[in-house]
Amino acid sequence: MTKSRVFFVMLVAFIAGVSARSFFEIGGNIYFFLSILSISLLAVFYKDRKAALAAFVLLFFTLGAWRTDGEIRKTQELIYVGAAFQEKALVVKVAPNVFGQNLIIELENLPAGQAGEKIFLLAQTAKYPEYAYGDLLDVSCAAKAIENKDAGFDYRMYMAKDGVLYACDKPKIDRVAQGKGNIFLSGILKVRELFENNIREVIPQPEGALADGLLFGGSASLSKEIQNDFSQTGMTHIVAVSGYNVTIIAEYLIILGLALGLWRKKAIWFALVGIVLFVIMSGLPASAVRAGVMGGTLLWAMKNGRLANAENAIILAGAIMLFLNPLLLRWDVGFQLSFLATLGIVLFSPLWEKSFIKKHRALGISEAIAMSLSAQIFVLPIIAYNFHITSLVSLLANIFILPVIPLSMLLVFLVSISSFLFSGLSLVFAWLAFVPLTYELKLIHILAQFPWASVSVEKVGAGWIVGYYFLLGAGIYFLKKRASLCVIEN
């Protein structure tokens, strides 16, 4: 076994440990026992490569489980429940809800005075006055544990994965000052707001809402009917900053770069810069940064070698993110979709390229089909498990819409930029952008009307998901082995 393959196995073992502890309780004594066992095996059988490999696999598995256990225990040991806060707090995130606003606030001082510790609280307020990142507040409330109101969704752990462990009970809030957040992030958000205003002024609705979602991520501006159409056709990802979205965008940025006359490596750099700009323009939320890391890792692997050898880079990126925050694996659907979609493209695309793409090249459409199908195969059970729906027209929708998305994004970006220079020019770009935006909305609506567009999936258990990925992994292994044998025979 090569060093590269050994490294791959170690990372997979770590991720497996994170997964095991995320779903099952593991006693503290077991970590001690597994650690001693793995070190003992390594000390005794260090000359036996297979035994040494098994010892390292066990050690990395234990490390992943132990690291996850520590983070889960933090969510259970809520020492500030019931504590009364009357402190200054900084708004770090604002999200609309059905009744008003969800504020994530960071306290400046702690009642117990623990140095270096940060406490984030969820404060639910009315729709007005509107708050923004960087607002400094006077907050008075009692801390309580975040409650799960929906039996099918673990909201408490969903918030915990972002470090939010407490909620404010009946908060009293007064704004003291504005613009007190990170200067860099505040600047990015202000620029984004200016760009969004430029788009709203010249592109009518609902095309303007789609334009905003494509460029900055998010579907909140879309009507409920359109959001339902997107869900029925499996196209929600185009307005969500996910690894799936980012990798598809990267592919078409490469194609655009090649069309502009760039060499392939330069085209990849062009796509990498595009991804960085896309993530920054979205406001640098954690989901966008994770998606950007996945997409950027894929591009880096493409630049420095064949796509078929990129598994280690993707697994390494995933392992690093899980080491920093193990709660992502189970309680962050965005991370799951980003990681699996990117991994699917990496593992499946070389197989498609050898069989299908070389025989059927048609203006890059075959690459779009291959990438879309690869990503969808890998994310299918996650979507079915979390959203209880599977689209039967998703592949068809992706084939006809994904090739147009980069053009739409480019034109929308030009609309927002040109408004600063000359309003007449922004109107020209707005009319040009209106055409593909209308096409995308109309086609998605038409496909969503098919009676068989999607099916409801209610009973998808963890066992079914494990079985699916086991069979998928076995299938990829045998296909790769068969492909390598064919190369040897030829």
Side-chain angles (χ1 to χ4, degrees), residues 89-111:
L90 185 72
V91 176
V92 296
K93 184 178 180 181
V94 181
N97 62 30
V98 177
F99 305 103
Q101 303 170 84
N102 281 342
L103 307 182
I104 306 301
I105 58 176
E106 179 187 352
L107 294 182
E108 288 196 337
N109 300 300
L110 303 180

Side-chain angles (χ1 to χ4, degrees), residues 167 203 240 367 388 416 419 468:
I203 301 181
E367 286 90 343
H388 308 294
S416 59
S419 294
Y468 179 94

Side-chain angles (χ1 to χ4, degrees), residues 109-151:
N109 300 300
L110 303 180
Q114 280 87 343
E117 185 179 357
K118 291 185 178 180
I119 287 192
F120 298 95
L121 294 95
L122 169 65
Q124 297 180 320
T125 69
K127 187 174 182 180
Y128 298 103
E130 293 184 346
Y131 296 98
Y133 170 81
D135 285 353
L136 186 63
L137 312 176
D138 264 332
V139 177
S140 176
C141 71
K144 66 176 183 177
I146 295 175
E147 300 175 353
N148 289 331
K149 297 181 180 180
D150 185 351

